[in-house]
Every structure is written in structure tokens, then in C-alpha cells.
């Protein structure tokens, strides 16, 4: 496929690996965090983690919207799904994620709740039009990539005067989460992670552009390279970080120029601004409260806000005691540090979200991790 | 969750939707988020939406950058 296969080319891949080998100074260590779960997945899938020189380490960040959704908000969706008036629409990624306890939307569906998996938010809108006697709620999750589509659906619902469509809005913003990691006392106290630079999420940046990361290079003096998801993209992004680090410079660089511009997709940004405003705080699974890190629906569109329509209160989350996702999302611990990894917690019986989502670090380790991990599988 | 995939526009249906080819399958996607989509262009698709277009020149430049890496220079130094 065009724009895919060229960036999976084996020769280019090997050449870049050699180049990294040559340029990574053996007298220093390199710790780079990939914020995005899609990067984590690709780094394992293409064996990049294992093939990088020993002193170039990738630290896995929290950038998977499925992994960071607090269990209380999943409980909310499950409770709504059990309301007989409601058809609850969700992206497939969320169906198996445990809420508090071992409940999930899939389990609710098994118990008779009307839960429907949708591929696009527009499908949820169509379901609302086909079922005027029911309440259709879209469980909206995701970073800036999924937010403009939700905004468009809300606007369309308003134009079409749909009375039975609402959105349970859990959209999150990436820049505040990156800032939170850099400032997190846990990360500082534990001192186990020093982060020398970031691979920035490129598909988020198709919408927000490169500009928001300028703040990080200025404030924290960490290089950021916005990087694509194909193996060759990833290696080039890593090489660009190594070069900046070697030269002691910190800039925002764009490896994914084919899809990302400085300012991003302005039309999509305007749509987001029209429909959403910041929440003063949002509780992220594993990361805790992060100020101004999530969006809620503006009062102009209040009739489409499921939180108001169903008078929902701020949910309380209870996480499984053994689950180490919080430390893993911060890059402070590795999946194998969790006592139940590969035992009580597997992709078939996930305890924490990092094991459910294919972009979670635990799932990536389980499927593609080092040999000792695979021995645990049987 | 946030992974988008490249697809080529094969038909404009109306101002909000287009048909795209993903390998051998075609699919209808919402193109409202991009300005004036054209048949033949490549766009990045995520959850049924086109997020942005792919710039063919920039893609070419990125590839050329990889290909211009000259390892022989380093190998020469080692010898
Ligand atoms: S192995 Fe399971 S329980 Fe342990 S940290 Fe990962 S997701 Fe959480």
C-alpha cells in the first residue's frame, strides 16, 4: 500500500539501525519516552526495542486513551448501558476494559444491555435517527484525533434537531499529560526515569500541529520529534532525537512532514473549540488529577451532554490493588514488575487497562516481549 | 486508538463524504474536516474520518533522506 510499504522497507530499516548504532555515543545513556501507545505497540511489533543499542532505551508513556480512562467513567457508561431506555454506542477498544471490579461494557452486553460497537461516531448518529424512541448515548473517548469527529457529530445532531442523541464526553488533551509527567513528583522522587526527549504522537499532531510542543523545549529543555508509526519512521525519529541529544540542542522537529504541519488542521481545531471547553481537572487512570487536561461539552450544546441529560455525578474510581498501570504509564515501572503480569492478568483476563488495549505496555510485552515473558504465557 | 491509515480518494460523493480505496477495498468516509478534497489525493483516515491529507512531496523527501544516508563513509573511517 502506498505510504505504508515504503516506510516498512527492510533495507531502509537496517540502514537506519546501523546509523543509530554509529551515532549513539557509547559513553552516554539515552532515555526517550514515546508518549503514544501506538508507538509502544509498533516498537515491540517490529522488534525495535530489542534491536536498538543497549544504551538507547525507550520508556513507554501514558499515551493510550483506553489505558488512561478512569474506571469510574467506565462504570458510568456501564450504568447507562443498563438503563433500558438507552442504546450505548462505543468504539470497540473500550468494550473489554474493566471498570471498578471486573465489570465491562462487554459483560453488560452479555447481561442484556444494549451496547453497540461503532466504527465511527457517525454510525451512532445514524442509530439515533433509526431509533427515535430510544436514547442513544455515544461514549466518546480519545485524544485530539477522535475529538473533531465527535464535535462534528454534536453539531450535526443540533442541525438535524435530534432529540435522542447525547455524548458522554471523555476527550483528553495530550500536551497537559506530557507536562504532568515531566512535573510528576513520583517521577522526580523515584528518580528511576530520566527522560532525554520525546517521540511526539504524529496522528494527534495531524490535528494540533507541532506548535504545542514548542512549550516543552523551551520550558523543560527536552527535544521533541513528532514521529510517524511505520518502523522506518520510528527509527528516523529516534535517530533525530539522538542527534539533538548529542549536540545538546532541544528543538521540536517534525519527522512526519507528509501528514503534519506546523499549525495542524485548523478547520478541525475550530470545530473542537466551538463544541468543547476545558474541564478544570480530570482524573486520569494511573496518573491522577491533571488540571485542564480534558474537554467537556459547551453550554450551547448542553442538550447533547449525557452528563447533564442523565444527571451524572463525578464518578469515583477504584483500581485493582495489584495493578501497577499507574507506575507503568509514567515509565517508572515495567510490566514485569507487576506481580500478576502474565498470571492473573493476561489479554484474555485483563485486570488493568494496560493489558486490554493492544497499545498498552503490558499487552505489548505480553505479545512481543522478551523470551522470559513468553515462558510465562503457558 | 489514535492510529490513522493512508487511503486514496476515488470518488467525491458530496461535500461531506468521499469514497476511498484502502488496498483493494473501498469505503465511505467523512471528509468534512479537510478543505476541498480531490479525487486521487491521499488522506489519513481514522474512525471513519479524514484527519488530514498526505503531502506526496514531503513523503518523497522523507524517503530520500533515508536513502541518502551514506554508510560507506563511516565504514571507510573504520577501515
Ligand atoms: S499486568 Fe495487568 S494488573 Fe499488572 S500492571 Fe499490567 S495491566 Fe495492570
Amino acid at each position: 500500500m502506498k505510504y505504508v510499504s515504503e516506510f516498512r522497507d527492510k533495507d531502509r530499516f537496517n540502514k537506519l539501525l546501523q546509523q543509530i548504532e554509529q551515532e549513539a555515543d557509547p559513553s552516554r545513556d539515552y532515555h526517550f519516552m514515546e508518549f503514544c501507545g501506538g508507538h509502544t505497540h509498533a516498537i515491540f511489533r517490529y522488534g525495535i526495542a530489542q534491536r536498538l543499542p543497549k544504551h538507547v532505551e525507550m520508556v513507554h508513556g501514558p499515551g493510550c486513551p483506553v489505558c488512561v480512562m478512569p474506571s469510574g467513567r467506565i462504570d458510568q457508561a456501564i450504568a447507562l448501558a443498563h438503563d433500558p431506555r438507552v442504546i450505548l454506542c462505543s468504539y470497540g477498544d473500550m468494550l473489554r476494559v474493566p471498570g471498578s471490579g471486573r465489570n465491562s461494557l462487554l459483560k453488560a452486553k452479555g447481561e442484556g444491555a444494549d451496547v453497540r460497537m461503532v466504527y465511527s461516531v457517525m454510525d451512532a448518529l445514524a442509530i439515533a435517527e433509526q431509533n427515535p424512541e430510544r436514547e442513544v448515548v455515544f461514549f466518546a473517548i480519545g485524544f485530539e484525533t477522535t475529538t473533531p469527529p465527535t464535535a462534528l457529530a454534536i453539531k450535526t445532531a443540533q442541525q438535524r434537531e435530534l432529540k435522542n442523541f447525547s455524548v458522554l464526553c471523555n476527550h483528553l488533551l495530550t500536551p497537559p499529560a506530557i507536562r504532568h509527567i515531566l512535573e510528576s513528583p513520583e517521577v522526580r522522587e523515584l528518580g528511576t526515569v530520566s527522560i532525554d526527549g520525546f517521540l511526539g504522537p504524529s496522528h494527534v499532531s495531524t490535528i494540533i500541529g507541532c506548535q504545542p510542543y514548542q512549550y516543552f523545549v523551551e520550558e523543560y529543555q527536552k527535544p521533541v520529534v513528532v514521529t510517524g508509526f511505520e518502523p522506518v519512521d520510528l527509527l528516523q525519529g529516534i535517530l533525530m532525537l539522538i542527534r539533538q541529544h548529542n549536540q545538546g540542542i532541544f528543538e521540536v522537529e517534525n519527522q512526519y512532514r507528509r501528514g503534519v504541519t506546523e499549525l495542524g488542521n485548523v478547520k478541525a481545531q475550530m470545530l473542537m473549540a466551538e463544541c468543547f471547553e476545558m474541564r478544570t481537572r480530570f482524573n486520569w487512570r494511573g496518573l491522577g488529577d491533571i488540571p485542564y487536561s480534558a474537554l467537556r461539552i459547551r453550554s450551547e450544546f448542553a442538550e447533547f451532554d449525557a452528563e447533564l441529560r442523565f444527571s451524572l455525578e463525578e464518578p469515583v474510581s477504584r483500581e485493582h490493588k495489584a495493578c501497577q498501570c499507574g507506575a507503568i504509564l509514567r515509565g517508572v515501572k515495567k510490566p514485569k514488575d507487576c506481580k500478576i503480569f502474565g498470571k492473573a492478568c493476561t489479554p484474555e483476563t485483563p485486570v488493568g487497562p494496560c493489558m486490554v488495549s493492544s497499545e498498552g505496555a503490558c499487552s505489548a510485552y505480553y505479545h512481543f516481549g522478551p523470551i522470559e515473558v513468553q515462558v510465562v504465557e503457558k | 486508538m489514535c492510529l490513522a491509515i493512508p487511503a486514496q480518494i476515488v470518488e467525491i460523493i458530496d461535500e461531506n463524504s468521499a469514497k476511498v480505496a484502502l488496498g483493494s477495498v473501498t469505503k465511505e468516509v467523512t471528509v468534512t474536516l479537510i478543505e476541498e478534497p480531490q479525487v486521487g489525493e491521499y488522506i489519513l483516515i481514522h474512525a471513519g474520518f479524514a484527519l488530514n491529507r498526505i503531502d506526496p512531496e514531503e513523503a518523497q523527501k522523507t524517503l530520500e533522506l533515508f536513502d541518502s544516508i551514506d554508510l560507506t563513509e563511516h565504514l571507510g573511517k573504520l577501515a
Side-chain angles (χ1 to χ4, degrees):
Chain A
M1 228 166 34
K2 198 162 184 219
Y3 300 119
V4 175
S5 45
E6 313 93 294
F7 295 90
R8 291 187 185 168
D9 182 90
K10 212 166 145 206
D11 287 345
R12 291 189 175 115
F13 184 85
N14 288 331
K15 216 168 158 185
L16 274 161
L17 263 178
Q18 282 182 50
Q19 191 68 17
I20 287 174
E21 194 95 39
Q22 277 165 6
E23 294 194 27
D25 180 349
S27 68
R28 49 166 105 187
D29 286 324
Y30 301 81
H31 303 278
F32 300 131
M33 177 178 267
E34 84 275 3
F35 175 84
C36 178
H39 280 153
T40 306
H41 186 74
I43 282 170
F44 280 94
R45 189 192 176 115
Y46 299 108
I48 290 173
Q50 295 93 316
R51 298 183 65 185
L52 285 172
K54 285 246 156 9
H55 57 299
V56 180
E57 198 201 350
M58 298 309 296
V59 180
H60 317 304
C64 160
V66 177
C67 298
V68 295
M69 193 51 56
S71 55
R73 294 202 172 254
I74 298 169
D75 296 342
Q76 252 179 359
I78 295 170
L80 273 180
H82 277 299
D83 183 330
R85 292 170 297 171
V86 169
I87 299 175
L88 191 108
C89 298
S90 166
Y91 290 131
D93 310 54
M94 279 314 285
L95 294 185
R96 294 175 58 242
V97 185
S100 304
R102 286 218 159 180
N103 268 338
S104 67
L105 282 170
L106 201 63
K107 215 168 147 196
K109 189 177 165 77
E111 290 159 5
D114 197 344
V115 176
R116 306 212 189 156
M117 188 186 118
V118 291
Y119 168 67
S120 159
V121 59
M122 287 308 183
D123 299 342
L125 215 58
I127 292 172
E129 285 180 317
Q130 289 150 13
N131 296 274
E133 75 296 349
R134 303 283 298 279
E135 282 286 339
V136 173
V137 181
F138 177 66
F139 187 25
I141 70 148
F143 290 113
E144 292 89 340
T145 36
T146 49
T147 310
T150 307
L152 191 70
I154 292 173
K155 275 198 69 173
T156 310
Q158 191 184 50
Q159 280 155 11
R160 295 187 192 162
E161 296 177 20
L162 266 181
K163 296 286 172 229
N164 64 329
F165 176 78
S166 60
V167 171
L168 186 56
C169 179
N170 288 289
H171 283 298
L172 304 171
L173 302 169
T174 43
I178 299 183
R179 184 165 67 228
H180 178 81
I181 292 167
L182 287 166
E183 289 176 347
S184 157
E186 288 87 343
V187 170
R188 288 203 175 148
E189 277 162 26
L190 288 165
T192 36
V193 273
S194 57
I195 300 169
D196 303 310
F198 286 93
L199 284 183
S202 61
H203 291 157
V204 161
S205 291
T206 59
I207 304 294
I208 67 172
C210 290
Q211 208 190 23
Y213 302 111
Q214 201 55 43
Y215 172 82
F216 296 98
V217 301
E218 281 160 20
E219 197 67 16
Y220 302 96
Q221 314 201 322
K222 305 280 183 199
V224 179
V225 177
V226 173
T227 303
F229 289 88
E230 299 304 339
V232 162
D233 289 323
L234 273 158
L235 287 184
Q236 197 195 20
I238 294 168
L239 182 61
M240 288 161 86
L241 281 175
I242 289 174
R243 285 182 177 166
Q244 284 205 45
H245 198 51
N246 285 352
Q247 291 169 32
I249 51 176
F250 17 88
E251 282 170 1
V252 179
E253 283 187 286
N254 183 3
Q255 183 278 331
Y256 198 73
R257 301 184 87 93
R258 63 187 185 274
V260 169
T261 55
E262 185 61 21
L263 295 179
N265 182 335
V266 176
K267 194 175 177 191
Q269 288 168 21
M270 277 165 52
L271 208 60
M272 276 162 74
E274 200 184 332
C275 291
F276 301 112
E277 61 191 12
M278 297 242 210
R279 292 179 193 263
T280 48
R281 59 177 206 91
F282 189 88
N283 186 271
W284 292 49
R285 194 169 200 157
L287 297 179
D289 279 351
I290 307 183
Y292 301 102
S293 64
L295 298 172
R296 66 163 178 242
I297 296 168
R298 277 191 189 279
S299 55
E300 292 91 312
F301 299 94
E303 57 181 309
F304 303 102
D305 188 341
E307 281 173 64
L308 299 176
R309 188 180 293 214
F310 297 93
S311 313
L312 304 180
E313 282 170 14
E314 185 67 31
V316 183
S317 299
R318 279 179 296 115
E319 311 302 349
H320 192 284
K321 274 202 230 66
C323 183
Q324 300 288 316
C325 284
I328 290 168
L329 294 172
R330 283 190 170 81
V332 175
K333 284 191 177 165
K334 293 262 149 69
K336 61 180 185 319
D337 298 326
C338 174
K339 285 205 176 68
I340 59 173
F341 172 82
K343 296 170 193 147
C345 184
T346 66
E348 288 69 46
T349 56
V351 171
C354 295
M355 188 61 95
V356 182
S357 165
S358 66
E359 292 166 18
C362 294
S363 159
Y365 264 72
Y366 189 92
H367 289 292
F368 309 109
I371 304 301
E372 72 251 32
V373 171
Q374 277 159 13
V375 174
V376 183
E377 273 184 37
K378 271 280 135 198
Chain B
M1 179 67 212
C2 295
L3 277 194
I5 41 172
Q8 188 176 29
I9 301 180
V10 291
E11 186 191 329
I12 303 287
I13 298 169
D14 56 39
E15 53 171 346
N16 293 315
S17 44
K19 232 181 227 155
V20 295
L22 285 154
S24 56
V25 269
T26 56
K27 213 172 162 30
E28 200 177 314
V29 298
T30 309
V31 290
T32 320
L33 300 180
I34 52 174
E35 309 274 4
E36 296 176 35
Q38 308 286 336
V39 169
E41 281 186 319
Y42 277 83
I43 48 183
L44 279 164
I45 309 291
H46 177 64
F49 276 76
L51 297 181
N52 219 338
R53 42 167 59 84
I54 296 176
D55 182 332
E57 268 174 44
E58 289 293 353
Q60 194 49 39
K61 275 194 221 159
T62 304
L63 288 171
E64 278 164 15
L65 209 66
F66 303 139
D67 298 338
S68 70
I69 292 176
D70 186 9
L71 286 172
T72 48
E73 189 193 325
H74 286 271
L75 294 175
K77 265 187 225 153
L78 289 175

